[in-house]
Amino acid sequence: SSISRRLATLRSFYRFCQREGYTHENPAKPLRNPRKQRSLPHFLTTKEVGKLISAPDTTTAMGARDHAVIETMYSAGLRVGELVGINQSDLHLDEGLVRIRGKGRKERFAPLGSFAVRALEKWLDCRNLSSEIPSDGESPIFTNRFGRRISTRSIGRMLEKYIKQTGLDARTSPHTLRHSFATHLLDRGAEIRSVQELLGH
């Protein structure tokens, strides 16, 4: 920035003055460059989140899955990697909780809202109609059309499709839902430390 350039010029001018013996001190030395303004992460309003959640056609199995994916990501403030890692044994729908394996193998329990629980129940009914899906505790909750664990890339592509469909801001990404979750909680008066814990920070 122009301020940083001027400060650098002042510092070098006083260094020159010190070398030439005009002064013993460099008053410009302690002056720090202005910090760069960090732009706030993009987030959606509650109305926009609602639009995105309503976009999938839940009369189809894949639509029910996509609906459950978006509901779960927003309801629990999950990273995409955390979402795709959820197994059968991690879900505690009766208690409205899901066990998450976060960064550095840290585990936490994240709360699921009633809408997310209903969306997950619907998806699990659709998913279990396929005999290819093993029902053991380690089987993935979110699968692709071949019954294998869905990839983070597939989640990104799926979300992109619904963003275009609903005409939402093109900057919207899977991480936007996480920022939106945190922003909406803070707007409702949640303490920042509590929100950080829910996010697994």
Side-chain angles (χ1 to χ4, degrees), residues 131-167:
S131 56
E132 295 168 40
I133 310 275
S135 59
D136 63 80
E138 292 311 299
S139 64
I141 289 298
F142 294 112
T143 52
N144 58 25
R145 61 185 73 250
F146 308 108
R148 291 192 287 273
R149 191 182 298 275
I150 197 168
S151 67
T152 54
R153 187 177 287 182
S154 293
I155 299 275
R157 277 200 300 263
M158 176 265 284
L159 207 60
E160 207 173 295
K161 178 179 89 172
Y162 295 121
I163 288 157
K164 280 182 184 164
Q165 195 176 302
T166 51

PDB file of all heavy atoms in Angstrom, residues 131-167:
ATOM      1  N   SER A 131     -29.576 -53.855  -1.709  1.00  0.00           N
ATOM      2  CA  SER A 131     -28.999 -55.006  -0.991  1.00  0.00           C
ATOM      3  C   SER A 131     -27.479 -54.987  -1.009  1.00  0.00           C
ATOM      4  O   SER A 131     -26.835 -55.745  -0.297  1.00  0.00           O
ATOM      5  CB  SER A 131     -29.511 -56.305  -1.615  1.00  0.00           C
ATOM      6  OG  SER A 131     -29.197 -56.314  -3.001  1.00  0.00           O
ATOM      7  N   GLU A 132     -26.901 -54.092  -1.855  1.00  0.00           N
ATOM      8  CA  GLU A 132     -25.431 -54.054  -1.965  1.00  0.00           C
ATOM      9  C   GLU A 132     -24.795 -53.396  -0.735  1.00  0.00           C
ATOM     10  O   GLU A 132     -23.608 -53.543  -0.493  1.00  0.00           O
ATOM     11  CB  GLU A 132     -25.005 -53.248  -3.208  1.00  0.00           C
ATOM     12  CG  GLU A 132     -25.431 -53.878  -4.516  1.00  0.00           C
ATOM     13  CD  GLU A 132     -25.249 -52.896  -5.670  1.00  0.00           C
ATOM     14  OE1 GLU A 132     -24.235 -52.172  -5.673  1.00  0.00           O
ATOM     15  OE2 GLU A 132     -26.141 -52.851  -6.540  1.00  0.00           O
ATOM     16  N   ILE A 133     -25.562 -52.618   0.033  1.00  0.00           N
ATOM     17  CA  ILE A 133     -25.001 -51.868   1.160  1.00  0.00           C
ATOM     18  C   ILE A 133     -24.908 -52.760   2.396  1.00  0.00           C
ATOM     19  O   ILE A 133     -25.933 -53.215   2.892  1.00  0.00           O
ATOM     20  CB  ILE A 133     -25.877 -50.634   1.510  1.00  0.00           C
ATOM     21  CG1 ILE A 133     -26.184 -49.805   0.263  1.00  0.00           C
ATOM     22  CG2 ILE A 133     -25.242 -49.805   2.611  1.00  0.00           C
ATOM     23  CD1 ILE A 133     -25.167 -48.805  -0.130  1.00  0.00           C
ATOM     24  N   PRO A 134     -23.702 -53.022   2.905  1.00  0.00           N
ATOM     25  CA  PRO A 134     -23.608 -53.798   4.150  1.00  0.00           C
ATOM     26  C   PRO A 134     -24.101 -52.949   5.322  1.00  0.00           C
ATOM     27  O   PRO A 134     -23.936 -51.737   5.326  1.00  0.00           O
ATOM     28  CB  PRO A 134     -22.103 -54.076   4.278  1.00  0.00           C
ATOM     29  CG  PRO A 134     -21.444 -53.001   3.489  1.00  0.00           C
ATOM     30  CD  PRO A 134     -22.405 -52.577   2.411  1.00  0.00           C
ATOM     31  N   SER A 135     -24.761 -53.568   6.277  1.00  0.00           N
ATOM     32  CA  SER A 135     -25.337 -52.789   7.381  1.00  0.00           C
ATOM     33  C   SER A 135     -24.457 -52.817   8.633  1.00  0.00           C
ATOM     34  O   SER A 135     -24.927 -52.541   9.719  1.00  0.00           O
ATOM     35  CB  SER A 135     -26.734 -53.326   7.717  1.00  0.00           C
ATOM     36  OG  SER A 135     -26.630 -54.690   8.077  1.00  0.00           O
ATOM     37  N   ASP A 136     -23.154 -53.161   8.480  1.00  0.00           N
ATOM     38  CA  ASP A 136     -22.285 -53.162   9.668  1.00  0.00           C
ATOM     39  C   ASP A 136     -21.940 -51.730  10.076  1.00  0.00           C
ATOM     40  O   ASP A 136     -22.152 -50.786   9.310  1.00  0.00           O
ATOM     41  CB  ASP A 136     -21.001 -53.967   9.404  1.00  0.00           C
ATOM     42  CG  ASP A 136     -20.163 -53.343   8.299  1.00  0.00           C
ATOM     43  OD1 ASP A 136     -19.456 -52.370   8.590  1.00  0.00           O
ATOM     44  OD2 ASP A 136     -20.211 -53.819   7.142  1.00  0.00           O
ATOM     45  N   GLY A 137     -21.399 -51.590  11.277  1.00  0.00           N
ATOM     46  CA  GLY A 137     -21.129 -50.272  11.848  1.00  0.00           C
ATOM     47  C   GLY A 137     -20.153 -49.418  11.069  1.00  0.00           C
ATOM     48  O   GLY A 137     -20.163 -48.203  11.165  1.00  0.00           O
ATOM     49  N   GLU A 138     -19.284 -50.061  10.264  1.00  0.00           N
ATOM     50  CA  GLU A 138     -18.264 -49.292   9.538  1.00  0.00           C
ATOM     51  C   GLU A 138     -18.716 -48.870   8.147  1.00  0.00           C
ATOM     52  O   GLU A 138     -17.978 -48.244   7.426  1.00  0.00           O
ATOM     53  CB  GLU A 138     -16.963 -50.125   9.427  1.00  0.00           C
ATOM     54  CG  GLU A 138     -16.254 -50.356  10.756  1.00  0.00           C
ATOM     55  CD  GLU A 138     -16.080 -49.087  11.577  1.00  0.00           C
ATOM     56  OE1 GLU A 138     -15.414 -48.157  11.078  1.00  0.00           O
ATOM     57  OE2 GLU A 138     -16.619 -49.004  12.698  1.00  0.00           O
ATOM     58  N   SER A 139     -19.933 -49.248   7.749  1.00  0.00           N
ATOM     59  CA  SER A 139     -20.369 -48.863   6.404  1.00  0.00           C
ATOM     60  C   SER A 139     -20.648 -47.361   6.362  1.00  0.00           C
ATOM     61  O   SER A 139     -21.157 -46.785   7.327  1.00  0.00           O
ATOM     62  CB  SER A 139     -21.607 -49.658   5.982  1.00  0.00           C
ATOM     63  OG  SER A 139     -22.692 -49.341   6.818  1.00  0.00           O
ATOM     64  N   PRO A 140     -20.290 -46.709   5.240  1.00  0.00           N
ATOM     65  CA  PRO A 140     -20.460 -45.250   5.154  1.00  0.00           C
ATOM     66  C   PRO A 140     -21.925 -44.853   5.096  1.00  0.00           C
ATOM     67  O   PRO A 140     -22.744 -45.565   4.514  1.00  0.00           O
ATOM     68  CB  PRO A 140     -19.736 -44.888   3.855  1.00  0.00           C
ATOM     69  CG  PRO A 140     -19.746 -46.140   3.037  1.00  0.00           C
ATOM     70  CD  PRO A 140     -19.718 -47.276   4.008  1.00  0.00           C
ATOM     71  N   ILE A 141     -22.247 -43.717   5.684  1.00  0.00           N
ATOM     72  CA  ILE A 141     -23.616 -43.197   5.634  1.00  0.00           C
ATOM     73  C   ILE A 141     -23.916 -42.635   4.243  1.00  0.00           C
ATOM     74  O   ILE A 141     -24.953 -42.913   3.664  1.00  0.00           O
ATOM     75  CB  ILE A 141     -23.836 -42.113   6.722  1.00  0.00           C
ATOM     76  CG1 ILE A 141     -23.869 -42.758   8.111  1.00  0.00           C
ATOM     77  CG2 ILE A 141     -25.113 -41.323   6.478  1.00  0.00           C
ATOM     78  CD1 ILE A 141     -24.989 -43.758   8.347  1.00  0.00           C
ATOM     79  N   PHE A 142     -22.983 -41.843   3.723  1.00  0.00           N
ATOM     80  CA  PHE A 142     -23.229 -41.211   2.427  1.00  0.00           C
ATOM     81  C   PHE A 142     -22.484 -41.961   1.333  1.00  0.00           C
ATOM     82  O   PHE A 142     -21.252 -42.031   1.346  1.00  0.00           O
ATOM     83  CB  PHE A 142     -22.837 -39.733   2.462  1.00  0.00           C
ATOM     84  CG  PHE A 142     -23.705 -38.925   3.389  1.00  0.00           C
ATOM     85  CD1 PHE A 142     -23.199 -38.383   4.562  1.00  0.00           C
ATOM     86  CD2 PHE A 142     -25.051 -38.730   3.098  1.00  0.00           C
ATOM     87  CE1 PHE A 142     -24.009 -37.661   5.416  1.00  0.00           C
ATOM     88  CE2 PHE A 142     -25.869 -38.003   3.959  1.00  0.00           C
ATOM     89  CZ  PHE A 142     -25.347 -37.471   5.119  1.00  0.00           C
ATOM     90  N   THR A 143     -23.258 -42.529   0.410  1.00  0.00           N
ATOM     91  CA  THR A 143     -22.681 -43.357  -0.652  1.00  0.00           C
ATOM     92  C   THR A 143     -23.054 -42.801  -2.024  1.00  0.00           C
ATOM     93  O   THR A 143     -24.007 -42.023  -2.156  1.00  0.00           O
ATOM     94  CB  THR A 143     -23.217 -44.803  -0.534  1.00  0.00           C
ATOM     95  OG1 THR A 143     -24.650 -44.743  -0.479  1.00  0.00           O
ATOM     96  CG2 THR A 143     -22.691 -45.500   0.706  1.00  0.00           C
ATOM     97  N   ASN A 144     -22.291 -43.234  -3.028  1.00  0.00           N
ATOM     98  CA  ASN A 144     -22.634 -42.855  -4.403  1.00  0.00           C
ATOM     99  C   ASN A 144     -23.633 -43.876  -4.968  1.00  0.00           C
ATOM    100  O   ASN A 144     -24.057 -44.791  -4.247  1.00  0.00           O
ATOM    101  CB  ASN A 144     -21.367 -42.740  -5.269  1.00  0.00           C
ATOM    102  CG  ASN A 144     -20.573 -44.035  -5.306  1.00  0.00           C
ATOM    103  OD1 ASN A 144     -21.110 -45.131  -5.103  1.00  0.00           O
ATOM    104  ND2 ASN A 144     -19.279 -43.931  -5.553  1.00  0.00           N
ATOM    105  N   ARG A 145     -23.953 -43.738  -6.239  1.00  0.00           N
ATOM    106  CA  ARG A 145     -24.991 -44.623  -6.807  1.00  0.00           C
ATOM    107  C   ARG A 145     -24.536 -46.081  -6.893  1.00  0.00           C
ATOM    108  O   ARG A 145     -25.336 -46.979  -7.122  1.00  0.00           O
ATOM    109  CB  ARG A 145     -25.490 -44.085  -8.149  1.00  0.00           C
ATOM    110  CG  ARG A 145     -24.466 -43.963  -9.229  1.00  0.00           C
ATOM    111  CD  ARG A 145     -25.049 -43.301 -10.471  1.00  0.00           C
ATOM    112  NE  ARG A 145     -25.268 -41.858 -10.311  1.00  0.00           N
ATOM    113  CZ  ARG A 145     -26.470 -41.317 -10.224  1.00  0.00           C
ATOM    114  NH1 ARG A 145     -27.561 -42.059 -10.250  1.00  0.00           N
ATOM    115  NH2 ARG A 145     -26.595 -40.011 -10.092  1.00  0.00           N
ATOM    116  N   PHE A 146     -23.225 -46.312  -6.696  1.00  0.00           N
ATOM    117  CA  PHE A 146     -22.707 -47.685  -6.733  1.00  0.00           C
ATOM    118  C   PHE A 146     -22.573 -48.286  -5.336  1.00  0.00           C
ATOM    119  O   PHE A 146     -22.055 -49.384  -5.169  1.00  0.00           O
ATOM    120  CB  PHE A 146     -21.346 -47.727  -7.449  1.00  0.00           C
ATOM    121  CG  PHE A 146     -21.376 -47.071  -8.807  1.00  0.00           C
ATOM    122  CD1 PHE A 146     -20.751 -45.840  -9.023  1.00  0.00           C
ATOM    123  CD2 PHE A 146     -22.071 -47.657  -9.860  1.00  0.00           C
ATOM    124  CE1 PHE A 146     -20.809 -45.226 -10.264  1.00  0.00           C
ATOM    125  CE2 PHE A 146     -22.126 -47.046 -11.106  1.00  0.00           C
ATOM    126  CZ  PHE A 146     -21.497 -45.825 -11.306  1.00  0.00           C
ATOM    127  N   GLY A 147     -22.998 -47.526  -4.323  1.00  0.00           N
ATOM    128  CA  GLY A 147     -22.962 -48.041  -2.958  1.00  0.00           C
ATOM    129  C   GLY A 147     -21.634 -47.837  -2.249  1.00  0.00           C
ATOM    130  O   GLY A 147     -21.441 -48.334  -1.144  1.00  0.00           O
ATOM    131  N   ARG A 148     -20.715 -47.110  -2.907  1.00  0.00           N
ATOM    132  CA  ARG A 148     -19.414 -46.850  -2.263  1.00  0.00           C
ATOM    133  C   ARG A 148     -19.430 -45.474  -1.597  1.00  0.00           C
ATOM    134  O   ARG A 148     -20.234 -44.619  -1.963  1.00  0.00           O
ATOM    135  CB  ARG A 148     -18.284 -46.936  -3.300  1.00  0.00           C
ATOM    136  CG  ARG A 148     -18.052 -48.353  -3.813  1.00  0.00           C
ATOM    137  CD  ARG A 148     -16.754 -48.452  -4.610  1.00  0.00           C
ATOM    138  NE  ARG A 148     -16.869 -47.816  -5.911  1.00  0.00           N
ATOM    139  CZ  ARG A 148     -17.334 -48.435  -7.012  1.00  0.00           C
ATOM    140  NH1 ARG A 148     -17.749 -49.684  -6.945  1.00  0.00           N
ATOM    141  NH2 ARG A 148     -17.397 -47.799  -8.160  1.00  0.00           N
ATOM    142  N   ARG A 149     -18.497 -45.281  -0.651  1.00  0.00           N
ATOM    143  CA  ARG A 149     -18.430 -44.004   0.071  1.00  0.00           C
ATOM    144  C   ARG A 149     -18.296 -42.852  -0.917  1.00  0.00           C
ATOM    145  O   ARG A 149     -17.459 -42.883  -1.811  1.00  0.00           O
ATOM    146  CB  ARG A 149     -17.226 -44.015   1.032  1.00  0.00           C
ATOM    147  CG  ARG A 149     -17.216 -42.833   2.014  1.00  0.00           C
ATOM    148  CD  ARG A 149     -15.973 -42.849   2.917  1.00  0.00           C
ATOM    149  NE  ARG A 149     -15.904 -44.023   3.758  1.00  0.00           N
ATOM    150  CZ  ARG A 149     -16.511 -44.159   4.935  1.00  0.00           C
ATOM    151  NH1 ARG A 149     -17.226 -43.163   5.420  1.00  0.00           N
ATOM    152  NH2 ARG A 149     -16.387 -45.275   5.628  1.00  0.00           N
ATOM    153  N   ILE A 150     -19.101 -41.828  -0.730  1.00  0.00           N
ATOM    154  CA  ILE A 150     -19.066 -40.670  -1.620  1.00  0.00           C
ATOM    155  C   ILE A 150     -17.754 -39.902  -1.408  1.00  0.00           C
ATOM    156  O   ILE A 150     -17.208 -39.880  -0.309  1.00  0.00           O
ATOM    157  CB  ILE A 150     -20.307 -39.761  -1.386  1.00  0.00           C
ATOM    158  CG1 ILE A 150     -20.510 -38.805  -2.566  1.00  0.00           C
ATOM    159  CG2 ILE A 150     -20.206 -39.009  -0.062  1.00  0.00           C
ATOM    160  CD1 ILE A 150     -21.851 -38.090  -2.557  1.00  0.00           C
ATOM    161  N   SER A 151     -17.237 -39.287  -2.469  1.00  0.00           N
ATOM    162  CA  SER A 151     -15.972 -38.539  -2.372  1.00  0.00           C
ATOM    163  C   SER A 151     -16.249 -37.065  -2.102  1.00  0.00           C
ATOM    164  O   SER A 151     -17.353 -36.565  -2.374  1.00  0.00           O
ATOM    165  CB  SER A 151     -15.183 -38.676  -3.679  1.00  0.00           C
ATOM    166  OG  SER A 151     -15.874 -38.007  -4.727  1.00  0.00           O
ATOM    167  N   THR A 152     -15.230 -36.377  -1.592  1.00  0.00           N
ATOM    168  CA  THR A 152     -15.380 -34.934  -1.331  1.00  0.00           C
ATOM    169  C   THR A 152     -15.619 -34.193  -2.648  1.00  0.00           C
ATOM    170  O   THR A 152     -16.360 -33.216  -2.688  1.00  0.00           O
ATOM    171  CB  THR A 152     -14.120 -34.360  -0.630  1.00  0.00           C
ATOM    172  OG1 THR A 152     -12.986 -34.683  -1.404  1.00  0.00           O
ATOM    173  CG2 THR A 152     -13.960 -34.932   0.757  1.00  0.00           C
ATOM    174  N   ARG A 153     -15.003 -34.691  -3.720  1.00  0.00           N
ATOM    175  CA  ARG A 153     -15.181 -34.050  -5.034  1.00  0.00           C
ATOM    176  C   ARG A 153     -16.638 -34.156  -5.499  1.00  0.00           C
ATOM    177  O   ARG A 153     -17.192 -33.208  -6.052  1.00  0.00           O
ATOM    178  CB  ARG A 153     -14.253 -34.714  -6.065  1.00  0.00           C
ATOM    179  CG  ARG A 153     -14.239 -34.003  -7.413  1.00  0.00           C
ATOM    180  CD  ARG A 153     -13.278 -34.646  -8.366  1.00  0.00           C
ATOM    181  NE  ARG A 153     -11.895 -34.365  -8.011  1.00  0.00           N
ATOM    182  CZ  ARG A 153     -10.856 -34.795  -8.727  1.00  0.00           C
ATOM    183  NH1 ARG A 153     -11.053 -35.541  -9.791  1.00  0.00           N
ATOM    184  NH2 ARG A 153      -9.640 -34.506  -8.360  1.00  0.00           N
ATOM    185  N   SER A 154     -17.250 -35.317  -5.247  1.00  0.00           N
ATOM    186  CA  SER A 154     -18.662 -35.508  -5.634  1.00  0.00           C
ATOM    187  C   SER A 154     -19.571 -34.562  -4.863  1.00  0.00           C
ATOM    188  O   SER A 154     -20.542 -34.039  -5.407  1.00  0.00           O
ATOM    189  CB  SER A 154     -19.097 -36.945  -5.361  1.00  0.00           C
ATOM    190  OG  SER A 154     -18.416 -37.827  -6.217  1.00  0.00           O
ATOM    191  N   ILE A 155     -19.249 -34.339  -3.586  1.00  0.00           N
ATOM    192  CA  ILE A 155     -20.041 -33.403  -2.768  1.00  0.00           C
ATOM    193  C   ILE A 155     -19.941 -32.001  -3.379  1.00  0.00           C
ATOM    194  O   ILE A 155     -20.942 -31.302  -3.514  1.00  0.00           O
ATOM    195  CB  ILE A 155     -19.536 -33.368  -1.297  1.00  0.00           C
ATOM    196  CG1 ILE A 155     -19.656 -34.738  -0.637  1.00  0.00           C
ATOM    197  CG2 ILE A 155     -20.254 -32.273  -0.495  1.00  0.00           C
ATOM    198  CD1 ILE A 155     -20.975 -35.088  -0.028  1.00  0.00           C
ATOM    199  N   GLY A 156     -18.721 -31.604  -3.760  1.00  0.00           N
ATOM    200  CA  GLY A 156     -18.503 -30.291  -4.378  1.00  0.00           C
ATOM    201  C   GLY A 156     -19.296 -30.136  -5.660  1.00  0.00           C
ATOM    202  O   GLY A 156     -19.937 -29.101  -5.881  1.00  0.00           O
ATOM    203  N   ARG A 157     -19.267 -31.179  -6.508  1.00  0.00           N
ATOM    204  CA  ARG A 157     -20.002 -31.136  -7.791  1.00  0.00           C
ATOM    205  C   ARG A 157     -21.513 -31.071  -7.555  1.00  0.00           C
ATOM    206  O   ARG A 157     -22.234 -30.342  -8.233  1.00  0.00           O
ATOM    207  CB  ARG A 157     -19.665 -32.376  -8.636  1.00  0.00           C
ATOM    208  CG  ARG A 157     -18.376 -32.237  -9.429  1.00  0.00           C
ATOM    209  CD  ARG A 157     -18.340 -33.229 -10.577  1.00  0.00           C
ATOM    210  NE  ARG A 157     -18.416 -34.610 -10.085  1.00  0.00           N
ATOM    211  CZ  ARG A 157     -17.374 -35.407  -9.896  1.00  0.00           C
ATOM    212  NH1 ARG A 157     -16.151 -34.966 -10.152  1.00  0.00           N
ATOM    213  NH2 ARG A 157     -17.521 -36.642  -9.468  1.00  0.00           N
ATOM    214  N   MET A 158     -21.971 -31.865  -6.574  1.00  0.00           N
ATOM    215  CA  MET A 158     -23.396 -31.897  -6.261  1.00  0.00           C
ATOM    216  C   MET A 158     -23.874 -30.525  -5.799  1.00  0.00           C
ATOM    217  O   MET A 158     -24.897 -30.015  -6.245  1.00  0.00           O
ATOM    218  CB  MET A 158     -23.638 -32.955  -5.174  1.00  0.00           C
ATOM    219  CG  MET A 158     -25.065 -33.037  -4.672  1.00  0.00           C
ATOM    220  SD  MET A 158     -25.316 -32.059  -3.166  1.00  0.00           S
ATOM    221  CE  MET A 158     -24.542 -33.105  -1.964  1.00  0.00           C
ATOM    222  N   LEU A 159     -23.100 -29.896  -4.918  1.00  0.00           N
ATOM    223  CA  LEU A 159     -23.476 -28.590  -4.383  1.00  0.00           C
ATOM    224  C   LEU A 159     -23.486 -27.535  -5.499  1.00  0.00           C
ATOM    225  O   LEU A 159     -24.378 -26.694  -5.562  1.00  0.00           O
ATOM    226  CB  LEU A 159     -22.506 -28.187  -3.270  1.00  0.00           C
ATOM    227  CG  LEU A 159     -23.062 -27.244  -2.215  1.00  0.00           C
ATOM    228  CD1 LEU A 159     -24.260 -27.846  -1.499  1.00  0.00           C
ATOM    229  CD2 LEU A 159     -22.002 -26.890  -1.189  1.00  0.00           C
ATOM    230  N   GLU A 160     -22.480 -27.633  -6.370  1.00  0.00           N
ATOM    231  CA  GLU A 160     -22.376 -26.704  -7.512  1.00  0.00           C
ATOM    232  C   GLU A 160     -23.653 -26.750  -8.356  1.00  0.00           C
ATOM    233  O   GLU A 160     -24.164 -25.716  -8.789  1.00  0.00           O
ATOM    234  CB  GLU A 160     -21.170 -27.126  -8.365  1.00  0.00           C
ATOM    235  CG  GLU A 160     -20.545 -25.997  -9.143  1.00  0.00           C
ATOM    236  CD  GLU A 160     -19.265 -26.459  -9.822  1.00  0.00           C
ATOM    237  OE1 GLU A 160     -18.286 -26.797  -9.129  1.00  0.00           O
ATOM    238  OE2 GLU A 160     -19.268 -26.506 -11.072  1.00  0.00           O
ATOM    239  N   LYS A 161     -24.160 -27.969  -8.559  1.00  0.00           N
ATOM    240  CA  LYS A 161     -25.382 -28.158  -9.362  1.00  0.00           C
ATOM    241  C   LYS A 161     -26.560 -27.405  -8.732  1.00  0.00           C
ATOM    242  O   LYS A 161     -27.290 -26.689  -9.416  1.00  0.00           O
ATOM    243  CB  LYS A 161     -25.688 -29.660  -9.449  1.00  0.00           C
ATOM    244  CG  LYS A 161     -26.953 -29.995 -10.216  1.00  0.00           C
ATOM    245  CD  LYS A 161     -27.192 -31.490 -10.286  1.00  0.00           C
ATOM    246  CE  LYS A 161     -28.016 -31.971  -9.095  1.00  0.00           C
ATOM    247  NZ  LYS A 161     -28.433 -33.389  -9.225  1.00  0.00           N
ATOM    248  N   TYR A 162     -26.723 -27.542  -7.409  1.00  0.00           N
ATOM    249  CA  TYR A 162     -27.859 -26.898  -6.729  1.00  0.00           C
ATOM    250  C   TYR A 162     -27.663 -25.386  -6.589  1.00  0.00           C
ATOM    251  O   TYR A 162     -28.638 -24.640  -6.541  1.00  0.00           O
ATOM    252  CB  TYR A 162     -28.105 -27.540  -5.365  1.00  0.00           C
ATOM    253  CG  TYR A 162     -28.549 -28.984  -5.486  1.00  0.00           C
ATOM    254  CD1 TYR A 162     -27.814 -30.016  -4.898  1.00  0.00           C
ATOM    255  CD2 TYR A 162     -29.694 -29.329  -6.215  1.00  0.00           C
ATOM    256  CE1 TYR A 162     -28.208 -31.342  -5.025  1.00  0.00           C
ATOM    257  CE2 TYR A 162     -30.093 -30.650  -6.356  1.00  0.00           C
ATOM    258  CZ  TYR A 162     -29.351 -31.656  -5.757  1.00  0.00           C
ATOM    259  OH  TYR A 162     -29.751 -32.960  -5.895  1.00  0.00           O
ATOM    260  N   ILE A 163     -26.414 -24.943  -6.538  1.00  0.00           N
ATOM    261  CA  ILE A 163     -26.137 -23.495  -6.465  1.00  0.00           C
ATOM    262  C   ILE A 163     -26.581 -22.837  -7.775  1.00  0.00           C
ATOM    263  O   ILE A 163     -27.236 -21.803  -7.779  1.00  0.00           O
ATOM    264  CB  ILE A 163     -24.639 -23.229  -6.164  1.00  0.00           C
ATOM    265  CG1 ILE A 163     -24.329 -23.593  -4.701  1.00  0.00           C
ATOM    266  CG2 ILE A 163     -24.252 -21.782  -6.436  1.00  0.00           C
ATOM    267  CD1 ILE A 163     -22.875 -23.899  -4.432  1.00  0.00           C
ATOM    268  N   LYS A 164     -26.246 -23.502  -8.902  1.00  0.00           N
ATOM    269  CA  LYS A 164     -26.667 -22.977 -10.211  1.00  0.00           C
ATOM    270  C   LYS A 164     -28.188 -23.019 -10.330  1.00  0.00           C
ATOM    271  O   LYS A 164     -28.816 -22.073 -10.811  1.00  0.00           O
ATOM    272  CB  LYS A 164     -26.031 -23.816 -11.333  1.00  0.00           C
ATOM    273  CG  LYS A 164     -24.580 -23.424 -11.617  1.00  0.00           C
ATOM    274  CD  LYS A 164     -24.006 -24.238 -12.748  1.00  0.00           C
ATOM    275  CE  LYS A 164     -22.523 -23.898 -12.950  1.00  0.00           C
ATOM    276  NZ  LYS A 164     -21.831 -24.913 -13.756  1.00  0.00           N
ATOM    277  N   GLN A 165     -28.759 -24.127  -9.883  1.00  0.00           N
ATOM    278  CA  GLN A 165     -30.214 -24.336  -9.965  1.00  0.00           C
ATOM    279  C   GLN A 165     -30.982 -23.270  -9.195  1.00  0.00           C
ATOM    280  O   GLN A 165     -32.034 -22.826  -9.629  1.00  0.00           O
ATOM    281  CB  GLN A 165     -30.516 -25.715  -9.382  1.00  0.00           C
ATOM    282  CG  GLN A 165     -31.898 -26.264  -9.686  1.00  0.00           C
ATOM    283  CD  GLN A 165     -32.036 -27.675  -9.132  1.00  0.00           C
ATOM    284  OE1 GLN A 165     -31.273 -28.562  -9.486  1.00  0.00           O
ATOM    285  NE2 GLN A 165     -32.984 -27.877  -8.237  1.00  0.00           N
ATOM    286  N   THR A 166     -30.455 -22.863  -8.035  1.00  0.00           N
ATOM    287  CA  THR A 166     -31.163 -21.894  -7.179  1.00  0.00           C
ATOM    288  C   THR A 166     -30.712 -20.452  -7.425  1.00  0.00           C
ATOM    289  O   THR A 166     -31.271 -19.523  -6.844  1.00  0.00           O
ATOM    290  CB  THR A 166     -30.938 -22.231  -5.684  1.00  0.00           C
ATOM    291  OG1 THR A 166     -29.539 -22.386  -5.456  1.00  0.00           O
ATOM    292  CG2 THR A 166     -31.652 -23.495  -5.285  1.00  0.00           C
ATOM    293  N   GLY A 167     -29.680 -20.271  -8.268  1.00  0.00           N
ATOM    294  CA  GLY A 167     -29.206 -18.923  -8.585  1.00  0.00           C
ATOM    295  C   GLY A 167     -28.486 -18.246  -7.436  1.00  0.00           C
ATOM    296  O   GLY A 167     -28.435 -17.019  -7.362  1.00  0.00           O
TER     297      GLY A 167
END
